[in-house]
Amino acid sequence: METIRWRALSAVAPLAWGTTYFTTERFLPEDRPLFSALVRALPAGLLLLAVTRTLPRGVWWWRAGLMGLCNIGLFFPLLFLAAYRLPGGLASTIQAGSPLVVMLFALLLIGERARTGAVLAGLAGMGGVALLVLQSPEGVDALGLAGAVGSVVVSGLGFVLIKRWRPPVPMLTLVSWQLVAGGLALLPIAVVLEGAPPALDVHNVLGYAWVGGVGTVLA
């Protein structure tokens, strides 16, 4: 029973993350990737930081900042950029390239060699992405495609940095640091590039509550 419980809990994150593209398309205000990334990151980070009540020490200030930039400050806006500009199926399928990117960074940064089966599975996923791109009848938005690929690269680097540095705190604490760091980095950029926050209706509020509450805090 304990094994089933943990497997069920581990399924929450991918199930919630898999709804990001649908939620962005149907519920969030149009063409606001930076604002959407900020709303998803900073409130969630402050909430988790209030729960954990632990701040970084020593080198972990800049390490948490760098990981927060990779996993949140760059990843979230690039992810939303792809969600706004690409069909949800294509945007989510591009994430199939994530294992290959992680394996490459793992080899370069921590000397971890990937198993042949994992490499072949990653290549198969990339083959599926190529087929979707090449067979798209209306073409693919170049900026959206760049956002999707960029999100895979920066998150892959962030994942490996976590393994390389082995944080001395529970993962929930580390996540709170990264969300706050990434959110604070996004704040001035969103203000400068996108201006004042948009007017939000009920659908927008529900959408942000989902991606921020379920897709970030709970996941």
Side-chain angles (χ1 to χ4, degrees), residues 15-211:
L15 286 173
W17 294 336
T19 65
T20 300
Y21 302 104
F22 173 81
T23 304
T24 301
E25 182 180 353
R26 299 296 181 89
F27 288 90
L28 303 190
E30 295 183 3
D31 201 24
R32 286 298 188 107
L34 292 174
F35 177 76
S36 295
L38 175 63
V39 172
R40 182 178 182 180
L42 192 54
L46 293 173
L47 176 61
L48 293 179
L49 190 61
V51 172
T52 59
R53 298 184 179 183
T54 304
L55 293 175
R57 294 182 179 180
V59 297
W60 280 98
W61 280 103
W62 70 265
R63 286 182 177 180
L66 180 57
M67 288 188 292
L69 189 62
C70 290
N71 291 326
I72 308 297
L74 291 173
F75 174 67
F76 275 8
L78 289 170
L79 183 70
F80 278 113
L81 180 64
Y84 277 117
R85 291 179 169 269
L86 294 178
L90 174 58
S92 59
T93 305
I94 290 176
Q95 297 296 320
S98 180
L100 282 178
V101 175
V102 171
M103 286 184 277
L104 176 60
F105 280 125
L107 177 62
L108 295 176
L109 297 179
I110 60 178
E112 182 179 286
R113 294 184 178 275
R115 287 178 289 185
T116 303
V119 175
L120 292 176
L123 290 174
M126 291 302 296
V129 172
L131 288 175
L132 284 175
V133 172
L134 294 174
Q135 294 181 3
S136 178
E138 299 177 357
V140 176
D141 182 272
L143 189 57
L145 186 61
V149 173
S151 70
V152 170
V153 172
V154 295
S155 63
L157 174 59
F159 295 158
V160 175
L161 288 178
I162 292 174
K163 190 168 185 178
R164 175 183 173 88
W165 287 330
R166 299 187 181 278
V169 294
M171 189 56 65
L172 190 63
T173 300
L174 182 65
V175 169
S176 71
W177 295 350
Q178 292 179 80
L179 285 167
V180 172
L184 291 176
L186 280 168
L187 181 58
I189 300 173
V191 171
V192 171
L193 296 183
E194 292 186 352
L200 303 180
D201 59 23
V202 175
H203 282 79
N204 301 150
V205 173
L206 291 174
Y208 284 127
W210 177 263
V211 297

